[in-house]
Amino acid sequence: MKPLHLLIVLCCLANSALAAPAPASYVLENTEVRDLRAQALKRDYQLYVALPDSYRQGNKRYPVLFVVDANYAFPVVRNIAQRLNKHAGMEEVIVVGLSYANGDGGVYSRRRDYTPTTPRKHDYRSDMPGRQPAFGEAKAYGQFISGEVFPFIAQHYRANMQRKVFIGHSYGSLLGLQLLLTEPRTFEHYVLGSPSLWYDAGVMFDREQAYAASHKDLPASVFFGIGGLEKLAAGKKRSRSEADADMVADLREFDGKLTSRKFPGLKTRLRVFADEDHASVFPFVLTHGLRAYLTSAK
């Protein structure tokens, strides 16, 4: 083949490759994405909604699982809940994932929205160039969930809003504790994995003590879970700091304090999953946390 002809052939092949459509994305069945403006926060979020297989077949209303850190956790929760239904007889649910704020980095968004305070001492760096890290908006974000997300879900889906479950992990569990110790009836059940109780020198221990001093009851159902490897390394001295926290000991202590109050309306369970760490434990916490609340025919 002459050089000119070869060049023409190569150009044609290159243009053909450029014109080929991009491979399709994998889409989870029976899922929807909804945009929602947080009016008080003046930020935009998305809701990821997974509907049960039987949703289109009748008028049933379903329990609703609300999961934060949805960019990671939504497909995990959706798939495990579906599998527990199909293979273990657990009742069907609607899953609602709460995204990070549009335009914000995940670290930036969750630090701001899930934490109860601005830490008194910190050296955190922002994952968003030109913006200082933000903290301490868990109260306002919780009001967004109850005041704007809940009505949206109730309006658009056959959701049983008397059976709402909160699912969080790490900072997400701090948000859950914020709700638990301020407006415990926001959810009927809390699944809280590996809560960062070291945060801000253990501020949640102070919050729990303050709640107990001014309340005679804590009407809530809570499942705590954590990995057995989330403990302090040998030779280190435990403290209320991220670097020297024993998260297993912290959670045992926190649950022990709640139990010691003998609140008549409080039900807690604590499970430590041996050989699991902070990164691997979430599916175990989720599975057992759902079993502690949802009914099963088997």
Side-chain angles (χ1 to χ4, degrees):
M1 184 179 293
K2 295 182 179 180
L4 179 59
H5 292 167
L6 178 60
L7 179 61
I8 293 173
V9 170
L10 291 175
C11 287
C12 289
L13 290 174
N15 290 335
S16 176
L18 290 173
S25 299
Y26 178 77
V27 178
L28 294 173
E29 293 181 284
N30 296 326
T31 61
E32 302 175 354
V33 178
R34 299 284 194 138
D35 295 309
L36 187 62
R37 176 72 173 176
Q39 297 297 332
L41 300 177
K42 296 180 171 58
R43 293 192 287 270
D44 295 308
Y45 294 86
Q46 289 185 318
L47 305 179
Y48 310 148
V49 182
L51 300 173
D53 290 342
S54 68
Y55 189 82
R56 311 294 182 191
Q57 300 170 6
N59 297 313
K60 179 181 177 180
R61 293 188 176 274
Y62 299 85
V64 193
L65 314 183
F66 291 87
V67 55
V68 294
D69 282 316
N71 299 50
Y72 151 69
F74 172 74
V76 177
V77 175
R78 179 261 188 193
N79 291 344
I80 288 180
Q82 186 181 77
R83 188 168 181 82
L84 288 174
N85 167 253
K86 290 183 176 180
H87 301 288
M90 191 168 290
E91 60 187 310
E92 289 183 295
V93 295
I94 294 172
V95 180
V96 177
L98 298 152
S99 80
Y100 303 129
N102 293 356
D104 285 352
V107 173
Y108 188 94
S109 187
R110 69 195 303 268
R111 278 179 178 168
R112 178 194 58 216
D113 291 346
Y114 300 170
T115 59
T117 56
T118 297
R120 287 157 280 189
K121 295 180 180 180
H122 75 85
D123 57 357
Y124 295 108
R125 295 183 180 182
S126 175
D127 65 328
M128 300 192 67
R131 296 174 67 180
Q132 292 297 314
F135 305 90
E137 295 190 22
K139 179 179 179 181
Y141 186 75
Q143 291 170 343
F144 161 63
I145 294 174
S146 60
E148 297 180 69
V149 175
F150 284 0
F152 183 92
I153 295 300
Q155 178 183 353
H156 291 92
Y157 300 98
R158 293 198 316 277
N160 183 346
M161 299 303 284
Q162 283 69 54
R163 298 190 67 202
K164 304 181 299 297
V165 179
F166 177 92
I167 300 170
H169 182 256
S170 195
Y171 271 13
S173 290
L174 277 185
L175 173 62
L177 290 175
Q178 164 72 28
L179 293 166
L180 181 69
L181 295 175
T182 54
E183 299 292 338
R185 295 184 188 274
T186 303
F187 291 90
E188 283 65 50
H189 185 58
Y190 294 81
V191 179
L192 304 180
S194 307
S196 303
L197 289 165
W198 49 264
Y199 182 81
D200 194 10
V203 66
M204 275 304 173
F205 287 93
D206 300 333
R207 295 280 181 91
E208 189 279 332
Q209 185 174 0
Y211 183 94
S214 58
H215 294 80
K216 294 183 179 180
D217 196 11
L218 178 55
S221 168
V222 187
F223 181 90
F224 289 119
I226 196 166
L229 300 179
E230 298 186 70
K231 57 186 179 181
L232 191 62
K236 300 188 73 174
K237 184 178 180 180
R238 179 187 171 199
S239 72
R240 302 278 196 229
S241 69
E242 183 174 9
D244 297 316
D246 186 322
M247 293 183 66
V248 176
D250 284 350
L251 186 53
R252 290 190 186 278
E253 180 181 346
F254 191 85
D255 182 62
K257 287 182 179 295
L258 285 176
T259 302
S260 72
R261 309 301 184 189
K262 300 189 183 304
F263 293 124
L266 177 64
K267 177 184 177 182
T268 71
R269 299 186 191 182
L270 169 60
R271 178 76 181 268
V272 179
F273 297 92
D275 301 322
E276 303 302 331
D277 59 24
H278 197 72
S280 67
V281 75
F282 178 67
F284 296 90
V285 176
L286 172 65
T287 298
H288 290 264
L290 294 182
R291 283 177 169 165
Y293 178 71
L294 298 175
T295 60
S296 175
K298 294 185 179 180

